[in-house]
Amino acid sequence: MVDEKREEKPRIRAARLIALTVLIAALATIALTALLVNIFEHKQEARNPFFRVVELTDDTEDPDVWGKNFPQQYDGYKRTVDQRRTRYGGSEAVPRTPTDVDPRSVVAQSRLEEDPRLKTMWAGYAFARDFREERGHAYMLEDQLFTERQQVTKQPGTCLNCHASMYVAYKKAGNGDIVKGFEALNTLPYFEARKHVKHPVACIDCHDSQTMQLRVTRPAFMEGIRAAKAVQGVKDYDVNRMATRQEMRAFVCGQCHVEYYFKGPEKRLTYPWVNGLKVENILAYYEEQGFSDWTHAETGAGVLKAQHPEFEMWNQGIHARSGVSCADCHMPYMRVGGLKISDHHVRSPALNINRACQTCHRWPEEELKARIETSQERVFGLRNRAMDALVALIGDLKAARTAGAGEAELQVARKFQREAQFRLDFVEAENSTGFHAPQEAERILAEAIDFARQGQLALARGGIRATAAPAAGGGAR
């Protein structure tokens, strides 16, 4: 009996050990399974971080519909109606009495009233009639429709490329081919082309409806960036196939925030980048094409109006060189619950320093704001000196024409006017008061001053007394 009991105890201990091992293994298996399921679920959430309320297709144009699946992004998109001024930019709400011609009850402040020298710079061109501070994306179509510039010049449908949601319109007009649709709508008069669009820029212009991946939908940018990449030695560049994700976070903005012109009688929207993205590269292209936007009313010079070359200037700045995209500053990431999304309330980083700047720059908000404004103040001061110099040259040219100066002498000075004006306009039209590339902006403005003064000296050598330059520092901002 004693031996049996002695033999039974080891068996019991062994059984208990086996049971315990099985239990531990089972618990470990359950825990591991739960962990793997949790990881899988988070991966799935990362791939599809929204509740699919409605089905989106490649023809879903209305942002209200996209907003059902992406309410946080849509809320931000709608907030682009906000008008808020920074020290050197932004718009403020100016009330106006609606009319039958223009039903808007609010507009942005007039830049022509802020700085009347702009009227002299653009004399004879539609921008001398009406030019206001740009408002947010929500107003981009409405403001273009009702600007007084529409009453001065008959605009082509090309203008809508950057003022409306065009992807679906291009597809329909081109029977599925957006390039053919782009070419067809370019040639239409503005108000005929306007019938083909309904919304300002919308979700489908930047996102694939199935994958939500960023994409370029504007043929003019596809062609322009292919030319710009060729200058860098990259052949046959296909932006939607070859761009990195970070590049795309700048390219989708560069579809519209660029310098451009309407090429030929077909009014093809063209980005003049075949020589590169710098101001002298673009001016060289226009010289090769023999292109002028208009003839200056007071001097007879063939001159150029820079549009809004934010993309070109950003490319020359330290942020671009450091791999920082447009979206990083103008649409910074934000947390909404457990989600990380891009803020679609597109606006000046100076109005959102906490998320736009302090993610990378560990300095107090007031310090960063002071740095921004100091940089802009320097550029704005040089801009005013360049404006004074250009206006003085225009005054001298006008006097020379009145005095009967020879055509050869006038042409020399007109050439200097063209060079000076495009450079000044390049910085003036760019929406950052030089902040996208401060050193580049200062270089361009210094050259503008030099060209304007060279023009005055050329006339002085012909006997035209130079116009005294007004005190520097004009302009209201």
Side-chain angles (χ1 to χ4, degrees), residues 299 384-400 405 409-421 447-470:
T299 68
N384 280 329
R385 290 178 182 275
M387 188 72 76
D388 287 340
L390 178 64
V391 169
L393 172 59
I394 291 171
D396 286 357
L397 259 167
K398 188 177 176 181
E409 183 184 352
L410 292 174
Q411 279 300 100
V412 172
R414 286 169 178 157
K415 172 68 175 170
F416 282 121
Q417 180 189 349
R418 178 180 168 97
E419 294 273 356
Q421 198 236 290
E447 290 184 356
I449 295 169
D450 179 60
F451 279 118
R453 297 308 185 196
Q454 285 193 60
Q456 284 188 283
L457 288 172
L459 290 171
R461 285 192 289 270
I464 301 298
R465 187 176 179 181
T467 302

Side-chain angles (χ1 to χ4, degrees), residues 107 150 292 295 324 416 432 465:
V107 293
Q150 291 281 11
S292 297
T295 300
V324 179
F416 282 121
S432 77
R465 187 176 179 181

Side-chain angles (χ1 to χ4, degrees), residues 120-147:
T120 303
M121 182 166 75
W122 295 325
Y125 201 45
F127 278 83
R129 177 75 170 271
D130 184 19
F131 177 58
R132 296 178 179 277
E133 192 67 67
E134 292 86 353
R135 297 199 284 177
H137 283 164
Y139 296 109
M140 59 194 287
L141 182 55
E142 179 184 87
D143 284 351
Q144 186 185 52
L145 182 63
F146 295 115
T147 175

Side-chain angles (χ1 to χ4, degrees), residues 345-452:
H345 181 194
V346 184
R347 54 182 162 162
S348 167
L351 298 172
N352 192 22
I353 289 175
N354 174 254
R355 281 196 272 110
C357 308
Q358 289 182 310
T359 302
C360 299
H361 302 286
R362 305 294 183 181
W363 295 92
E365 186 166 330
E366 285 305 312
E367 168 65 20
L368 293 173
K369 183 181 178 184
R371 292 186 188 188
I372 294 168
E373 292 185 347
T374 298
S375 173
Q376 292 179 319
E377 182 180 18
R378 290 171 181 160
V379 171
F380 190 62
L382 268 177
R383 173 262 189 199
N384 280 329
R385 290 178 182 275
M387 188 72 76
D388 287 340
L390 178 64
V391 169
L393 172 59
I394 291 171
D396 286 357
L397 259 167
K398 188 177 176 181
R401 294 180 81 188
T402 303
E407 192 61 25
E409 183 184 352
L410 292 174
Q411 279 300 100
V412 172
R414 286 169 178 157
K415 172 68 175 170
F416 282 121
Q417 180 189 349
R418 178 180 168 97
E419 294 273 356
Q421 198 236 290
F422 187 64
R423 282 171 172 79
L424 168 58
D425 224 346
F426 205 80
V427 177
E428 169 67 19
E430 195 266 339
N431 277 319
S432 77
T433 316
F435 189 76
H436 285 140
Q439 293 168 322
E440 176 71 353
E442 290 163 10
R443 179 188 75 87
I444 292 170
L445 290 171
E447 290 184 356
I449 295 169
D450 179 60
F451 279 118

Side-chain angles (χ1 to χ4, degrees), residues 80-299:
T80 59
V81 296
D82 290 352
Q83 290 187 248
R84 189 175 166 191
R85 195 169 187 163
T86 66
R87 184 176 178 188
Y88 290 101
S91 64
E92 62 183 78
V94 177
R96 71 177 296 278
T97 302
T99 65
D100 292 338
V101 176
D102 183 352
R104 292 176 299 174
S105 59
V106 173
V107 293
Q109 70 272 23
S110 169
R111 293 295 319 284
L112 300 179
E113 293 176 6
E114 286 183 343
D115 191 342
R117 293 175 299 180
L118 292 169
K119 292 183 180 180
T120 303
M121 182 166 75
W122 295 325
Y125 201 45
F127 278 83
R129 177 75 170 271
D130 184 19
F131 177 58
R132 296 178 179 277
E133 192 67 67
E134 292 86 353
R135 297 199 284 177
H137 283 164
Y139 296 109
M140 59 194 287
L141 182 55
E142 179 184 87
D143 284 351
Q144 186 185 52
L145 182 63
F146 295 115
T147 175
E148 290 183 43
R149 296 197 295 274
Q150 291 281 11
Q151 301 167 25
V152 177
T153 305
K154 290 183 179 179
Q155 305 284 354
T158 315
C159 296
L160 288 165
N161 181 83
C162 292
H163 284 265
S165 180
M166 298 302 297
Y167 177 66
V168 174
Y170 284 156
K171 278 208 315 177
K172 289 181 178 177
N175 293 319
D177 186 329
I178 63 170
V179 175
K180 289 183 178 177
F182 161 73
E183 292 169 342
L185 293 184
N186 283 346
T187 60
L188 293 179
Y190 178 84
F191 289 100
E192 286 297 315
R194 174 68 180 80
K195 297 174 183 175
H196 293 258
V197 300
K198 299 177 182 175
H199 308 281
V201 66
C203 319
I204 200 166
D205 293 295
C206 301
H207 291 281
D208 183 294
S209 65
Q210 301 307 301
T211 66
M212 302 304 132
Q213 293 296 311
L214 291 173
R215 64 177 179 179
V216 168
T217 58
R218 299 301 197 266
F221 186 86
M222 297 173 189
E223 295 169 1
I225 197 68
R226 187 182 304 130
K229 288 287 186 180
V231 176
Q232 301 169 11
V234 182
K235 295 181 179 178
D236 302 323
Y237 187 75
D238 182 333
V239 64
N240 283 320
R241 187 169 53 84
M242 301 169 72
T244 66
R245 181 176 181 277
Q246 188 65 0
E247 283 179 323
M248 270 297 186
R249 287 166 56 79
F251 288 172
V252 292
C253 306
Q255 294 185 90
C256 293
H257 290 265
V258 292
E259 165 63 9
Y260 60 81
Y261 81 116
F262 302 157
K263 186 176 183 179
E266 64 275 16
K267 303 296 182 186
R268 188 185 189 88
L269 182 65
T270 303
Y271 298 170
W273 297 342
V274 296
N275 298 319
L277 298 175
K278 300 182 78 170
V279 64
E280 56 266 36
N281 302 143
I282 293 170
L283 187 55
Y285 171 82
Y286 286 139
E287 295 297 333
E288 293 160 9
Q289 298 296 310
F291 177 77
S292 297
D293 278 303
W294 89 104
T295 300
H296 196 274
E298 296 182 1
T299 68

